[in-house]
């Protein structure tokens, strides 16, 4: 796909804007953004063709300078352009905003009630809740920024680190 | 004008009213700050979604979608946002009169939010199909989500062929305009420039529309609520401010009258004393 074509322009970064009903929540430059669409993951690098996509419930991963950040994003749409990705979603939570205990409690409760009740509409809602709490838990399990292994960028990455120290 | 005692009583009355006014002023101004913050939060996402939907509406392949397609108008749904409580000046009258005018000659169905609007349309024998009163501020977000869902179902089932929303747009504390906006069908535009149409939609344009339009409606309704709420608090604050000033003026005026009366009584007493003293000095009455 278009990602391969633009792999060589890795020095160019892509700007991510996340807008929620509480205002523009998140603006960041990144090397790569991986988002969960309704039919699977979509990875975006700088220079992507203009696409608008429907997002599902899942983890949004932002890779930048060898560091990966995770956000829980539930629903909404993404508008991808050459240099920018605009995400409009009702819920977008970074790990520090997630209440882990509540997510775990939600998960337990939903799993307990799903076996008891059989109403179809209700079950659907519970499945959504289970999935969302799992995503929340997963995101908050990695509160720090994780380093990931990037073959292309490895040397550069080491250099960066050396510069920093 | 009554006796001094009466005037004193009136001053006491007016000052107790003034206290209430001041309290309402304070409540309205704190609520205004909150409402404004909420409004400022929702405006960006609304404008962005509106832009996305507008972009869609200029594409030929979107025109056949049910949310965009113009249908023969048999009946129109109006969502009208008013307040539950009074003492907010012309806030309710403005929006109600504007929507009343707008629905002339239409086969209307009314979904009214707020007790004031309900009263108004009941008096005029309009076709109210749903009323909601007393929405807590904290619930507005989920509430607008449920309205958006209900609205989508209502529209898709064909019970309403077009949908309008009437709210009060907040510009600043002193100026707010009642606005009636068409929610559905989304206005289509035919544009000549084709550079937009090479944009792709994942997984397909129909699925995209099915997701975007409900989200857009939700944000639009939530924003309309926030706009109306902010305007209401702003108008109430301004009105209470004016009422406080008026109460102060009345108190000043009454105090002046009271003092004049008191002075008059003193002067009268004095002249009586002086008069009688004079007579006594001259040897009394003979």
């Amino acid at each position: 796909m278009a990602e391969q074509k633009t792999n060589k322009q890795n020095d160019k970064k892509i700007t991510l804007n996340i807008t929620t009903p509480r205002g523009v929540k998140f603006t960041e430059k990144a090397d790569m953004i991986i988002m969960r669409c309704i039919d699977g993951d979509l990875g975006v690098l700088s220079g992507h063709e203009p696409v608008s996509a429907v997002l599902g419930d899942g983890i949004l991963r932002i890779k930048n300078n060898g560091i990966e950040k995770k956000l829980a994003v539930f629903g909404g749409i993404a508008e991808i352009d050459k240099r920018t990705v605009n995400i409009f979603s009702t819920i977008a939570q970074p790990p520090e905003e997630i209440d882990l205990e509540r997510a775990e409690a939600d998960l337990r409760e939903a799993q307990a009630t799903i076996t008891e009740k059989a109403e179809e509409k209700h079950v659907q809602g519970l499945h959504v809740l289970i999935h969302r709490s799992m995503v929340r838990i997963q995101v908050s399990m990695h509160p720090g920024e994780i380093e990931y292994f990037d073959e292309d960028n490895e040397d550069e990455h080491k250099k960066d680190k050396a510069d920093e120290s | 004008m009554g006796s001094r005692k009466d005037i004193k009583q009136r001053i006491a009355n007016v000052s107790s009213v003034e206290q209430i006014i001041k309290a309402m002023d304070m409540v309205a101004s704190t609520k205004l700050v909150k409402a404004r913050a909420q409004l400022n939060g929702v405006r960006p996402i609304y404008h962005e979604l509106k832009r996305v939907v507008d972009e869609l509406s200029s594409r030929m392949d979107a025109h056949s979608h049910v949310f965009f397609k113009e249908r023969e108008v048999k009946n129109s749904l109006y969502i009208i946002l008013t307040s539950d409580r009074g003492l907010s000046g012309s806030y309710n009258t403005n929006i109600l009169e504007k929507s009343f005018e707008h629905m002339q000659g239409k086969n209307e169905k009314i979904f009214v939010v707020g007790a004031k609007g309900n009263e108004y349309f009941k008096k005029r024998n309009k076709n109210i199909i749903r009323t909601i009163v007393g929405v807590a501020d904290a619930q507005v977000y989920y509430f607008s989500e449920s309205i958006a869902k209900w609205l989508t179902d209502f529209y898709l089932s064909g019970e309403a062929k077009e949908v309008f929303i009437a709210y009060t747009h907040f510009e600043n504390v002193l100026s707010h305009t009642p606005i009636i906006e068409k929610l559905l069908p989304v206005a289509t535009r035919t544009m000549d420039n084709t550079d937009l149409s090479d944009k792709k939609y994942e997984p397909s344009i129909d699925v995209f529309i099915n997701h975007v339009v409900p989200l857009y409606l939700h944000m639009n309704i939530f924003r309309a609520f926030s706009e109306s709420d902010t305007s209401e608090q702003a108008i109430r604050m301004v009105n209470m401010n004016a009422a406080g000033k008026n109460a102060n003026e009345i108190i000043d005026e009454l105090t002046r009258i009271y003092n004049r009366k008191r002075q008059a009584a003193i002067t009268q007493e004095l002249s009586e004393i002086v008069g009688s003293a004079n007579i006594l000095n001259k040897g009394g009455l003979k």
Side-chain angles (χ1 to χ4, degrees), chain A residues 1 19-24 37-39 42 49-55 75-80 86 88-91, chain B residues 38 40-45 48-49 51-52 55 141 198-204 207-209 211-212 215 218-219 222:
Chain A
M1 265 179 60
T19 314
T20 68
R22 285 165 187 270
V24 179
C37 297
I38 48 167
D39 51 356
L42 175 70
E49 62 174 346
V51 165
S52 290
V54 182
L55 298 180
I77 56 163
E79 207 185 25
I80 299 156
N86 291 317
F88 313 120
S89 173
T90 49
I91 308 172
Chain B
Q38 186 181 303
N40 286 335
V42 72
R43 268 182 178 168
I45 193 171
E48 292 292 321
L49 283 172
R51 183 179 53 76
V52 171
E55 234 167 64
Y141 178 80
D198 59 337
K199 200 168 173 181
K200 286 192 179 139
Y201 292 92
E202 285 278 340
S204 73
V207 177
F208 189 75
I209 292 171
H211 279 82
V212 158
L215 183 66
H218 176 193
M219 284 304 128
F222 183 49

Side-chain angles (χ1 to χ4, degrees), chain B residues 77-85 91-92 96 110-122 127-137 139-151 221 225 232:
Chain B
L77 177 71
Y78 283 84
I79 300 175
I80 296 166
L81 306 180
T82 62
S83 72
D84 285 336
R85 270 171 241 173
Y91 168 73
N92 285 311
L96 286 169
I110 299 171
F111 177 1
V112 64
V113 180
K116 293 283 164 191
N118 192 26
E119 260 167 49
Y120 180 93
F121 288 112
K122 239 183 202 160
N127 181 17
I128 303 174
I129 55 160
R130 202 175 156 192
T131 309
I132 289 180
V133 175
V135 183
D137 288 346
Q139 289 297 313
V140 167
Y141 178 80
Y142 299 101
F143 177 69
S144 43
E145 187 173 21
S146 74
I147 292 185
K149 254 185 207 142
W150 174 85
L151 178 66
I221 292 170
F225 260 97
E232 184 193 335

Side-chain angles (χ1 to χ4, degrees), chain B:
Chain B
M1 195 50 75
S3 68
R4 276 199 282 163
K5 208 177 154 195
D6 288 342
I7 295 172
K8 224 172 178 177
Q9 185 63 47
R10 275 197 66 192
I11 292 177
N13 282 347
V14 176
S15 6
S16 74
V17 171
E18 194 197 11
Q19 298 241 308
I20 298 171
I21 290 169
K22 269 191 185 153
M24 286 188 72
D25 185 14
M26 297 253 282
V27 170
S29 56
T30 17
K31 278 193 173 172
L32 176 66
V33 173
K34 266 191 186 169
R36 247 182 138 154
Q38 186 181 303
L39 180 62
N40 286 335
V42 72
R43 268 182 178 168
I45 193 171
Y46 162 75
H47 286 300
E48 292 292 321
L49 283 172
K50 189 169 170 55
R51 183 179 53 76
V52 171
V53 172
D54 273 351
E55 234 167 64
L56 276 170
S57 74
S58 61
R59 288 176 58 113
M60 285 312 283
D61 43 355
H63 287 192
S64 55
H65 196 280
V66 64
F67 286 128
F68 290 90
K69 210 170 169 182
E70 294 281 342
R71 308 195 275 188
E72 193 193 337
V73 177
K74 285 193 192 119
N75 36 38
S76 319
L77 177 71
Y78 283 84
I79 300 175
I80 296 166
L81 306 180
T82 62
S83 72
D84 285 336
R85 270 171 241 173
L87 286 179
S88 49
S90 53
Y91 168 73
N92 285 311
T93 358
N94 281 347
I95 189 73
L96 286 169
E97 262 163 24
K98 180 146 191 188
S99 32
F100 186 73
E101 227 167 76
H102 193 273
M103 59 181 74
Q104 291 305 320
K106 295 206 175 189
N107 188 5
E108 83 288 339
K109 289 181 175 177
I110 299 171
F111 177 1
V112 64
V113 180
K116 293 283 164 191
N118 192 26
E119 260 167 49
Y120 180 93
F121 288 112
K122 239 183 202 160
K123 246 184 227 161
R124 283 159 184 76
N125 278 327
K126 288 286 181 183
N127 181 17
I128 303 174
I129 55 160
R130 202 175 156 192
T131 309
I132 289 180
V133 175
V135 183
D137 288 346
Q139 289 297 313
V140 167
Y141 178 80
Y142 299 101
F143 177 69
S144 43
E145 187 173 21
S146 74
I147 292 185
K149 254 185 207 142
W150 174 85
L151 178 66
T152 317
D153 291 343
F154 197 79
Y155 182 75
L156 291 180
S157 69
E159 300 230 23
K161 302 289 181 192
E162 54 178 1
V163 182
F164 294 95
I165 187 161
Y167 65 94
T168 311
H169 180 75
F170 177 83
E171 276 152 41
N172 54 49
V173 175
L174 290 171
S175 92
H176 345 76
T177 22
I179 283 179
I180 297 176
E181 214 177 77
K182 196 176 196 178
L183 279 183
L184 287 170
V186 181
T188 46
R189 293 177 302 167
T190 31
M191 287 217 312
D192 295 325
N193 66 353
T194 44
D195 59 335
L196 279 171
S197 55
D198 59 337
K199 200 168 173 181
K200 286 192 179 139
Y201 292 92
E202 285 278 340
S204 73
I205 190 162
D206 276 349
V207 177
F208 189 75
I209 292 171
N210 284 341
H211 279 82
V212 158
V213 172
L215 183 66
Y216 165 68
L217 288 177
H218 176 193
M219 284 304 128
N220 201 344
I221 292 170
F222 183 49
R223 181 198 62 111
F225 260 97
S226 306
E227 299 263 8
S228 287
D229 190 36
T230 316
S231 307
E232 184 193 335
Q233 302 307 343
I235 294 173
R236 185 164 294 139
M237 195 184 84
V238 170
N239 273 310
M240 287 302 121
N241 234 321
K245 268 186 200 139
N246 284 343
N248 257 333
E249 261 168 41
I250 292 175
I251 289 174
D252 283 354
E253 183 63 34
L254 284 174
T255 317
R256 197 158 35 241
I257 293 171
Y258 176 81
N259 285 339
R260 199 173 290 154
K261 284 219 163 193
R262 192 177 54 109
Q263 197 54 55
I266 292 169
T267 314
Q268 198 184 344
E269 256 176 53
L270 263 180
S271 64
E272 273 167 15
I273 292 167
V274 171
S276 16
N278 275 343
I279 290 167
L280 284 175
N281 282 345
K282 282 175 189 163
L285 292 167
K286 275 176 190 165

